[in-house]
Amino acid sequence: MTFSSRAGLEATTAMLDRHLRTYWSHLQTRDISVPIGTEYMLSDIAVSSKTDDGNIFADVATRLTPTDGMFDNDVNMISFFWGETYNGIKYANTITSFIDNVPGLDELTKQEFLGRAYFHRSFRYLALCFQFKDVPLVTKILTVPKQNYKTTSREAILEMITSDMEKAVEWVPEQSKMAYIGMINKGACRQLLIKCYLATGQWDKAIAQADILINQSGYTLMNATFGTFDNPSPVAWPVTRNVIWDLHRPVNKAIAANKEAILVMPNREGTDATIRYKSMRNWGPMWNQAALKSPSGKVLLSVAKTDSKYRAEYDINGAVGRGIAMIRPTHFAQFGLWSVNGLDDATDLRHSSTVGNWARMEMLKYNDPTDANYGQNLRLYNGTTLLCTDTIRSWFNWPHYKIYIDDPVFLATPTSNRNDGGAADWYCYRLAETYLLRAEAQFYKGNVGAATEDVNAVRRRAKCSQLYTTVNIGDIVNERARELYMEEWRHMELSRISYSLALSGKTDEWGNTYSINTLADNSYWYQRIQHYNDYYNKNKVTVRNRKYTITPYNIYWPIPQNAINSNLYGKLRQNSGYSGFDVSTEIWTRWQDAVADEDTN
C-alpha cells in the first residue's frame, strides 16, 4: 500500500486505532473466547475453565509448544497475539515508510502522523518483548519479500521504541486539541513512554512523565458519580450508585465529564466497527448447567421474559448474564487479593457486594417456581452435601461492574434467554494506572513513601477503609489486579514488572531478587503464580485428565514454528525451554544493525 494523499494516511491511522481494540475483543464478534482471556489464564489471577473441552488449556507446561500449543481458537489465542501484532506493526510501518510520498504535508502534520504510527508500533513491540522476548524487528514495508530475518534482542528493541516514544510525546497533540475520541493523543503517548522508561530502568524519567500526566495534563481521578446512571436490572440486581460503577459503564467512558480516561477504544452498536465482547458469556460463571442444583435437585432457570416461569425479581440471566466461564478467577483473585493490613477491606467499592459491584454466587436465588427452595439464596453445600459438581466453571465470584455490558440482541428479543454482552467502549489507558506506574518507579528508586501515597490515592477513590503504611512490589501489583481487571494485559505486565524488578535489584515480597538474564528460570511472574495461583503446579485439580501445570520458562511464549520455517534463509532464535532453542543462534544486539539489514534479501 502506498499513499498519494492525506486521506490514505488518515485511513491507515484509523485502521490502527481500530486494530488496537482487537487485542481485547478480536477482529469480529466471537461466540466464545476473546484474546484478552489468554493474557489472564497465564497469570496469577485466572485460569482456563471450559471444563467440557477436552483441549482445555490447563497443562500449559507440556502443551505450550512452538507448534501444538499455539491454537488460536477456543483453547488459547497466543498465535493471534503473534500474527495480529505483526499485522499492526505492518500498518504502522506503512505510514512511516510512505509518508514522504504524500504531497503537501507541512512538517507539523507529518510529525503528528509519524508520532501516532510510532505509538502503535511501540505499543505492539513492547507487548512482543514481554510476551515473546527477543523477536524479529521490522520497521519498514519492503518491495521484495524478506526471508532472512534474524532475531533482535529485547534490549535493542526497547531502546528503539523508547526513542520513538520520546518523539511521539513531542509531536502528537493533547486530546483537548483533537476532534475525535479514540485517536492516539499525547496523554496515551506519555503513558506508553512511562512503560518504556520502566522497561529500560529509567526511573527518574518515568516519574517525570507521570508527574506531567497526573498534574499538568488536565486528567484527574474520578472521585464522585458522574455521567449516566445505567442500572440495567433494578429489580433482580439493584445497584447503589457509586463512582466505580459509573466509571465502568460503557456510556460514560468516552464522555467529556470523564477526566480519568486517557485513551478509550470506541466500540459502538450500529456502526461498521461493532464488535460484541460477549463479556458476560466469556467471563461469568456457568450457573445454568446441571452441575449446579438446589438442595431439592432443581437447576437454575435461564428463561425468556415470555416464559411462564419467568419472574423479574429472580431473573439471573437478565441481571448478570448467562456465562460459560472460558476463564475463571483464582481463589486469590476472589478473596486473598482484597486483604490489606491483614483485614478484608469491606468498603472497597471494587469488591463491594453491598452496592452491587461485586457478585457472589450466594447472591443469586433459586428461580424455578416448582423448586422447594424457590427464592432462597444459592448455597454450595446442603449440610455436608456438595451441591455443585463443577466448581471450576460454575461456582466463583466476579467483578460484575467490569463485565456487565448491555446485550442489544437480548434486550430486543423477549423470547431470548441468552444475555451475552454487546459492544462497548473500553479503556486502553486510565489515570489510575498512571498512579500505579509512578508507584512502581518510586519503589524501584527506593522512595517507598511516595510509592505508598500513589497506591493509596487509587485506594481512596475506591473508598477503601484500609490504606497502606508502606508498600512492597507485591502491594503495587495487587493494586493493579484490583483496579485494572480486563484492562491491563496481566501476563505481559507481570513479565514487564519481572524485568523491571530485576533491573532495580529490589526484592519482592518474599525477599527474592532476580536477574534479567535468568528470568526464564525464575521470575517474579512465576513466583506470583507459585504463591497466589491455587491451580497451577498444586496437584489439586484435574480436568479431562489434564492437571494445571506451568513452568518458569512459560513467562515467554514460544516463537511460532511457522514463523521460523517461513524465514527460509535466516534463523530466528527460539526461546529457552522450547524445542529448537539454540543459544548459539545469532541475534542483533543493536537495533540500528537490524534496521540496516532490512534491505538485504
Side-chain angles (χ1 to χ4, degrees), residues 23 36 71 83 93 131 186 237 332 339 381 400 451:
Y23 296 108
I36 196 67
F71 301 98
N93 287 342
Q131 290 172 326
K186 190 183 293 291
W237 197 275
F332 171 72
S339 177
Y381 287 92
H400 176 63

Side-chain angles (χ1 to χ4, degrees), residues 315-552:
D315 181 9
I316 303 174
N317 180 43
V320 301
R322 206 180 86 178
I324 60 169
M326 291 301 297
I327 61 172
R328 63 103 73 208
T330 58
H331 188 274
F332 171 72
Q334 298 172 72
F335 302 102
L337 176 64
W338 304 94
S339 177
V340 174
N341 300 328
L343 298 171
D344 181 59
D345 196 327
T347 65
D348 188 334
L349 287 174
R350 300 163 302 186
H351 197 233
S352 173
S353 300
T354 304
V355 301
N357 287 354
W358 183 266
R360 294 179 291 109
M361 293 300 296
E362 294 87 352
M363 297 168 68
L364 306 180
K365 291 180 167 57
Y366 297 114
N367 63 351
D368 184 343
T370 67
D371 189 347
N373 302 100
Y374 178 64
Q376 296 178 17
N377 293 85
L378 265 63
R379 50 188 188 266
L380 185 56
Y381 287 92
N382 183 31
T384 59
T385 301
L386 184 66
L387 296 173
C388 181
T389 57
D390 185 354
T391 55
I392 295 175
R393 198 175 189 189
S394 296
W395 194 277
F396 57 81
N397 306 331
W398 72 98
H400 176 63
Y401 75 95
K402 276 288 180 88
I403 76 171
Y404 188 92
I405 300 174
D406 285 329
D407 184 330
V409 176
F410 171 72
L411 293 174
T413 314
T415 56
S416 172
N417 70 340
R418 267 186 55 171
N419 188 16
D420 294 345
D425 290 354
W426 212 256
Y427 292 120
C428 181
Y429 290 149
R430 279 193 294 124
L431 194 67
E433 186 182 12
T434 316
Y435 277 89
L436 298 177
L437 292 170
R438 188 170 68 176
E440 196 184 328
Q442 295 283 17
F443 173 80
Y444 297 144
K445 273 203 73 179
N447 298 337
V448 175
T452 303
E453 180 52 36
D454 276 340
V455 175
N456 283 340
V458 176
R459 294 188 61 74
R460 286 191 193 97
R461 190 273 295 284
K463 313 304 181 194
C464 296
S465 58
Q466 296 299 315
L467 300 179
Y468 288 105
T469 56
T470 185
V471 294
N472 55 40
I473 191 63
D475 299 323
I476 297 168
V477 175
N478 286 350
E479 198 65 30
R480 289 188 67 92
R482 300 176 191 116
E483 183 68 22
L484 300 172
Y485 184 73
M486 287 301 162
E487 295 178 57
E488 68 169 340
W489 296 19
R490 185 64 178 179
H491 164 270
M492 188 274 282
E493 291 288 358
L494 284 178
S495 176
R496 179 194 61 75
I497 291 167
S498 297
Y499 186 84
S500 296
L501 182 64
L503 283 176
S504 77
K506 300 296 183 184
T507 62
D508 65 15
E509 57 263 48
W510 307 287
N512 302 317
T513 57
Y514 303 93
S515 166
I516 61 170
N517 297 319
T518 58
L519 293 176
D521 300 319
N522 187 32
S523 66
Y524 183 56
W525 166 82
Y526 185 68
Q527 288 304 317
R528 284 193 68 92
I529 286 177
Q530 289 292 84
H531 284 86
Y532 297 138
N533 190 310
D534 48 313
Y535 283 75
Y536 288 124
N537 305 332
K538 306 305 185 292
N539 204 28
K540 294 179 179 178
V541 184
T542 301
V543 178
R544 303 278 170 171
N545 294 317
R546 300 185 185 279
K547 294 181 179 180
Y548 284 88
T549 59
I550 203 163
T551 73

Side-chain angles (χ1 to χ4, degrees), residues 103-123:
L105 290 182
D106 62 76
E107 190 62 21
L108 289 178
T109 301
K110 180 179 175 181
Q111 288 177 342
E112 185 175 331
F113 277 111
L114 281 173
R116 290 194 171 104
Y118 285 161
F119 172 93
H120 282 292
R121 189 169 70 186
S122 299
F123 181 97

